[in-house]
Amino acid sequence: MINKKDYYFDNSATSHPKPEKVYEAVENAIKNLNGNPGRAGHRKAVEISREIYNVRCKLANFFNIENPLQIAFTANATESLNFAIKGLDLNPGDKIITSHLEHNSVLRPLYYLRDSKNISIDFFDDFSQIENLITERTKAIVVNHISNVNGNIQDLEKIGFLAKKHNLIFIVDASQSAGFYPIDIQAMNIDILCFTGHKSLFGIQGIGGIYVNENIHLTPILEGGTGSYSKMERQPKVMPELLEAGTLNTPGILSLGAGIDFINEIGLERIKIHEEFLTDKFINGCKNIPNLIVYPTLSEKRGPVVSVNFKNVPSSDIGAILDEEFNIMIRASFHCAPLAHDFLNTSEYGTIRFSFGFFNTEEDIDYAINALKIISENI
Ligand SMILES: Cc1ncc(COP(=O)(O)O)c(C=O)c1O
């Protein structure tokens, strides 16, 4: 069974490998385009500013955003979500609706608001519960599009419609969906979109972004140099400067641009179909393995993320066996989403999470299923 090849099924943590052009873009950024964007008028600074604007335009096309300048680059989705949630204009007693499947990068900023500003948080499991939670004090809905624990997909069009109907700010954590599932901020009525660059968008780690609707003013939680409005005492109120304090991650931004080029070349739909095929094949293969639990979703379809467990066996033990004996890389244990584990009843042992990417093959899935079969025969 031992096979020298590495089997990488941890794409929800970070995608691997990256398309060749992403590696090239990073090298090009550091070697040839290494000026500080917006910080000088010389050729190198101007050239890199232009390249960065191009990536803003690529993102705007990708998410159907009208004005590319409403997108700010951040370090990752966590930073974007902190900007979005902590930057809201709220009063004590206001309410925010969210789901039990959220990542800590949504939950912790929300708990911060609860503790520091007396904001209440109302949780839902299923779409049908949302409208009943809305009161006069509700100001926003925050949801993760695809759960990083079980791959559950929220219906953003339906939630966006409700948010618009009740005049609520709709914030989406697209960490697990951007680059897998089509996102159209206009059709989905998304007011604030938070994404990370290093997962399905194929960028490197340390780059992310946030789109903010022109009608919303966030209070920035970081202030500093922007290269523009230098004499202004406080952070400029215009996007993207409002949320871009300090020198940008140029290699990261260009890697993200190359990642989007790659997705456009292959076609988002083709990527989705391939990953859905692998996910279905994996789930079908798991059905015949004794004592293996596959955790369900509330949604009919799921993202390319599947959590499993062997009955009464800690997930981290299986994670170690998969890595050491089979060269299989997955994430075991807890996935930064404690309420999702409560919901799935996996708070004791966590889960073994397989997450598939575009570069996984059918053969990889056969290998993974076979490995799980062998483990099930030996534990
Ligand atoms: C659903 C979800 N939200 C937010 C994040 C945070 O992403 P990042 O660590 O890139 O900030 C993750 C990362 O795994 C995630 O899965």
Side-chain angles (χ1 to χ4, degrees):
M1 187 69 184
I2 282 291
N3 187 324
K4 286 251 158 57
K5 185 179 157 187
D6 283 343
Y7 290 84
Y8 186 82
F9 300 115
D10 198 15
N11 291 280
S12 280
T14 200
S15 59
H16 178 80
K18 308 292 183 190
E20 211 46 48
K21 61 168 60 193
V22 169
Y23 303 125
E24 286 161 16
V26 174
E27 189 178 352
N28 190 31
I30 304 167
K31 261 194 187 160
N32 305 318
L33 294 166
N34 196 29
N36 197 328
R39 304 306 200 263
H42 60 72
R43 267 163 300 161
K44 272 207 173 304
V46 171
E47 197 179 2
I48 190 59
S49 298
R50 201 179 301 125
E51 293 286 338
I52 286 175
Y53 181 71
N54 284 341
V55 180
R56 272 189 230 280
C57 293
K58 286 177 194 176
L59 285 163
N61 279 333
F62 196 70
F63 296 125
N64 197 20
I65 292 165
E66 236 166 61
N67 181 358
L69 296 176
Q70 288 301 117
I71 301 167
F73 291 108
T74 61
N76 44 43
T78 304
E79 194 173 271
S80 304
L81 286 159
N82 271 269
F83 287 170
I85 295 169
K86 294 181 181 168
L88 291 174
D89 181 17
L90 298 170
N91 294 309
D94 285 345
K95 291 165 173 271
I96 296 183
I97 294 175
T98 194
S99 85
H100 282 118
L101 294 177
E102 301 308 311
H103 190 273
N104 274 336
S105 53
V106 166
L107 291 177
R108 286 178 175 162
L110 285 177
Y111 292 146
Y112 167 84
L113 290 184
R114 179 198 63 192
D115 297 345
S116 63
K117 292 197 175 170
N118 195 21
I119 303 300
S120 14
I121 312 167
D122 291 319
F123 289 94
F124 71 92
D125 295 324
D126 183 60
F127 172 78
S128 63
Q129 300 163 339
I130 299 179
E131 200 152 25
N132 289 334
L133 295 174
I134 299 174
T135 71
E136 270 179 13
R137 298 305 304 266
T138 307
K139 297 291 183 253
I141 303 179
V142 192
V143 291
N144 100 31
H145 190 184
I146 295 187
S147 160
N148 61 307
V149 182
N150 64 351
N152 190 75
I153 303 180
Q154 298 289 3
D155 188 331
L156 295 189
E157 279 195 38
K158 275 168 57 181
I159 304 176
F161 178 81
L162 266 193
K164 194 168 183 191
K165 179 173 155 198
H166 293 276
N167 208 14
L168 307 177
I169 295 176
F170 185 29
I171 304 174
V172 172
D173 171 6
S175 299
Q176 294 295 340
S177 58
F180 164 75
Y181 200 100
I183 296 175
D184 178 328
I185 62 106
Q186 299 190 47
M188 294 167 165
N189 284 312
I190 297 171
D191 293 305
I192 303 182
L193 181 73
C194 300
F195 54 93
T196 203
H198 65 104
K199 301 186 195 272
S200 296
L201 291 174
F202 292 121
I204 57 171
Q205 296 175 6
I207 188 65
I210 181 170
Y211 154 78
V212 186
N213 180 314
E214 267 155 343
N215 301 320
I216 295 169
H217 177 74
L218 294 176
T219 301
I221 55 176
L222 291 179
E223 301 197 50
T226 53
S228 58
Y229 307 97
S230 276
K231 292 185 191 162
M232 218 177 241
E233 278 196 348
R234 299 295 302 274
Q235 196 68 6
K237 287 192 174 4
V238 293
M239 283 284 282
E241 285 95 331
L242 177 80
L243 301 178
E244 286 181 353
T247 298
L248 290 171
N249 173 0
T250 302
I253 294 170
L254 295 200
S255 75
L256 181 54
I260 290 176
D261 288 343
F262 176 80
I263 294 170
N264 289 337
E265 272 165 34
I266 303 287
L268 186 59
E269 190 55 24
R270 217 177 114 200
I271 292 176
K272 184 165 170 282
I273 289 171
H274 176 65
E275 293 181 20
E276 280 174 342
F277 173 77
L278 298 180
T279 306
D280 288 346
K281 185 175 168 71
F282 178 75
I283 291 174
N284 283 333
C286 286
K287 279 185 188 149
N288 303 322
I289 301 176
N291 294 321
L292 189 69
I293 307 162
V294 178
Y295 292 96
T297 55
L298 286 177
S299 58
E300 204 183 308
K301 297 232 158 189
R302 72 161 88 206
V305 186
V306 187
S307 267
V308 300
N309 260 336
F310 284 104
K311 273 182 203 147
N312 302 323
V313 183
S315 60
S316 49
D317 291 359
I318 305 295
I321 296 172
L322 286 168
D323 187 18
E324 284 160 25
E325 306 288 332
F326 297 94
N327 293 337
I328 286 179
M329 283 163 263
I330 51 89
R331 179 167 174 187
S333 195
F334 302 100
H335 310 294
C336 305
L339 304 180
H341 285 289
D342 291 345
F343 181 69
L344 295 172
N345 211 5
T346 58
S347 296
E348 191 179 353
Y349 288 146
T351 67
I352 308 159
R353 181 186 72 182
F354 284 79
S355 50
F356 309 110
F358 180 70
F359 292 107
N360 286 127
T361 63
E362 270 194 83
E363 185 265 279
D364 292 353
I365 304 294
D366 288 335
Y367 181 80
I369 291 166
N370 204 27
L372 289 172
K373 270 190 193 140
I374 294 173
I375 294 172
S376 95
E377 283 156 14
N378 289 284
I379 50 173

